Amino acid sequence: MCDCCGSHVSKVERVAVDPLYSPMEGTIIRTKQMTEKEKFFEIKLDGGKELGHMPGQFVQFSMFGIGEAPISISSSPTKKEKGTFEVCVRNVGMFTGMMHKLDVGDKIGVRGPFGRPFPIDELKGNDIIMVAGGLGIVPLRSLINFVIDKRRDFGEVTILLGCKAPKDRLFTSEIDTWNRITDINYACTVDKADPDWKGNVGVITTLIPGVDVDINRTYAVIVGPPIMYKFVIAELLRKGLPEKQIILSLERRMKCGLGKCGHCQINEKYVCQDGPTFTYDEIKGLEEAL
Ligand SMILES: Cc1cc2nc3c(=O)[nH]c(=O)nc-3n(C[C@H](O)[C@H](O)[C@H](O)COP(=O)(O)OP(=O)(O)OC[C@H]3O[C@@H](n4cnc5c(N)ncnc54)[C@H](O)[C@@H]3O)c2cc1C
Ligand code: FES
C-alpha cells in the first residue's frame, strides 16, 4: 500500500517516481554561449516543480540514448525568478557536446539535487573568503549570490577569482556588479594577460597575501582545478587558518549520485553523498582526494 494515497503500489514503483532515481523533465528556457567551450543554460522543471537546492549541490542531467552527467547548480536558491535554475557546461566529450547542441524549448532529464551543500549555517555570522579558479566559478556563483542576497547574515566577504586568460572569464557582466558592491572585497587575476587586460596578472595564490584573515572567524570556500587546491590551501594554512575552516568542492566521475555505484568513492567517502563539499581536515589524509 502507498503511504500517502493508499493505492496498491509496490515499493519498486514508488522508488521509480522518486526524483532522485527517475528523471524529472526540464525545458531549456534560455541559453548563452559564454566562451568557445562553455555554454550557459537556464532550465525550468515541467509541471511547476521546484528543484529546491542549496549552494554547492549538483544535478544529474540525462538525454535519451546518450547518458547522464553530473553538473553543478550555478544559480542561488535566493534567485528572484522562482522555478528555474542555471548551469554552465564545458564541452569536453560525448554528453556535454550533445548538451551544447540543445537550445531554447528543448527538453532534458533532471535528477536531484544531490550532494552536501556548503555549510551555510556555519558560515553565517563569520567572515568568508570565496576563491574560484577556472570553471570553479560555476558552483561558487550560487554561494556568492546567496551571500550577496543575504549580506547582513555574514561578516567580511572577499571574492577572489582567477582564470588562465581574460577570454576564459565567465559571467563577466555579473562579476562587474559584484566588483561594484562597496561592502565586498573583490580581486581577480589571470595567469596570462592579453593587450586589453588592465587587471592583475599571476596565479590565484598571489591574491591571498593581500587578504586580512581573522583566524577566529574566517572561513575559506575554494572551488577550482585540483592543482589550485594544493597551493591555495598551503597559503591559507600559512596565514594560520584552521583546517576545518577551509571548505572545498571535489569533482569525481559519477554515475548514480546516490552512494550506490561506488564510481565516486575515495576510500570510505562517497563524493556524491558525503560531498562534493568537504572541509580540508575531512579529506587531507585521503590519497587521491587532492
Ligand atoms: C559534482 C560534479 C559537478 C560538476 N559540475 C560541472 C559543471 O558545472 N560544468 C561542467 O561543465 N562540468 C561539470 N562537471 C564535469 C562533468 O560532469 C563532466 O565533464 C562530464 O560528465 C563529461 O561527460 P562527457 O560525456 O561530455 O565526457 P566524456 O566523453 O565522458 O569524457 C571527455 C573527457 O573528459 C574527462 N572527464 C569526464 N568526466 C570527468 C570528470 N567528472 N572529471 C574530470 N574529467 C572528466 C574524460 O576523462 C575525457 O578526457 C561536474 C562533475 C561533477 C562530479
Ligand atoms: S556516483 Fe555512485 S556512489 Fe557516488
Side-chain angles (χ1 to χ4, degrees):
M1 282 283 209
C2 171
D3 305 332
C4 53
C5 66
S7 65
H8 291 278
V9 182
S10 72
K11 192 171 178 205
V12 172
E13 282 167 305
R14 270 188 280 145
V15 165
V17 294
D18 187 329
L20 296 184
Y21 289 86
S22 85
M24 300 172 278
E25 208 167 24
T27 304
I28 295 168
I29 59 162
R30 190 159 59 104
T31 66
K32 186 179 178 200
Q33 192 69 44
M34 303 189 94
T35 68
E36 210 180 305
K37 283 263 177 204
E38 278 97 20
K39 187 166 174 176
F40 168 92
F41 298 87
E42 183 173 1
I43 291 156
K44 191 171 179 53
L45 291 176
D46 294 359
K49 288 181 187 140
E50 291 272 346
L51 191 60
H53 73 286
M54 285 302 282
Q57 291 192 293
F58 65 95
V59 289
Q60 288 276 10
F61 280 129
S62 55
M63 279 182 278
F64 277 121
I66 309 293
E68 271 199 314
I71 299 289
S72 306
I73 304 155
S74 186
S75 46
S76 166
T78 52
K79 188 170 175 279
K80 307 287 178 294
E81 314 78 44
K82 290 286 176 201
T84 72
F85 66 97
E86 297 166 357
V87 296
C88 174
V89 177
R90 176 174 287 173
N91 181 353
V92 296
M94 175 74 165
F95 187 91
T96 50
M98 289 307 286
M99 199 165 162
H100 268 232
K101 293 193 174 140
L102 300 181
D103 219 326
V104 173
D106 287 335
K107 301 280 184 189
I108 190 156
V110 182
R111 286 197 298 129
F114 292 112
R116 177 166 68 154
F118 294 118
I120 302 269
D121 287 342
E122 220 177 313
L123 299 177
K124 277 188 182 164
N126 290 303
D127 298 346
I128 315 178
I129 306 171
M130 292 178 276
V131 187
L135 206 56
I137 185 65
V138 172
L140 207 56
R141 174 176 172 258
S142 177
L143 180 66
I144 292 171
N145 281 323
F146 185 96
V147 169
I148 290 172
D149 289 343
K150 295 188 174 283
R151 183 65 191 88
R152 282 203 215 134
D153 292 351
F154 301 90
E156 280 282 308
V157 174
T158 302
I159 302 171
L160 305 179
L161 305 180
C163 60
K164 283 191 181 147
K167 69 171 176 44
D168 300 327
R169 289 182 313 142
L170 298 166
F171 303 107
T172 44
S173 51
E174 185 173 328
I175 287 171
D176 282 346
T177 66
W178 299 344
N179 189 14
R180 287 197 293 273
I181 301 174
T182 49
D183 63 353
I184 285 182
N185 311 306
Y186 167 88
C188 175
T189 185
V190 297
D191 294 354
K192 201 168 184 298
D194 64 21
D196 297 328
W197 179 251
K198 306 265 184 303
N200 297 305
V201 180
V203 291
I204 198 156
T205 41
T206 57
L207 300 176
I208 294 175
V211 178
D212 286 333
V213 173
D214 175 346
I215 59 169
N216 298 312
R217 51 170 294 158
T218 300
Y219 283 75
V221 183
I222 318 165
V223 194
I227 182 78
M228 185 189 103
Y229 286 126
K230 210 176 279 180
F231 293 106
V232 170
I233 289 168
E235 279 297 323
L236 291 168
L237 293 175
R238 224 190 312 279
K239 280 195 168 268
L241 203 62
E243 290 171 351
K244 64 178 175 29
Q245 287 163 226
I246 299 176
I247 297 150
L248 35 96
S249 181
L250 293 185
E251 220 184 79
R252 277 295 177 282
R253 280 179 169 271
M254 290 181 187
K255 286 280 177 214
C256 67
L258 287 161
K260 303 246 180 264
C261 70
H263 265 78
C264 66
Q265 195 173 356
I266 313 173
N267 295 0
E268 80 282 8
K269 303 265 187 221
Y270 290 89
V271 177
C272 65
Q273 285 219 307
D274 299 323
T277 68
F278 293 95
T279 58
Y280 179 55
D281 70 324
E282 284 175 323
I283 52 141
K284 68 169 180 179
L286 294 182
E287 254 179 72
E288 298 173 35
L290 292 175

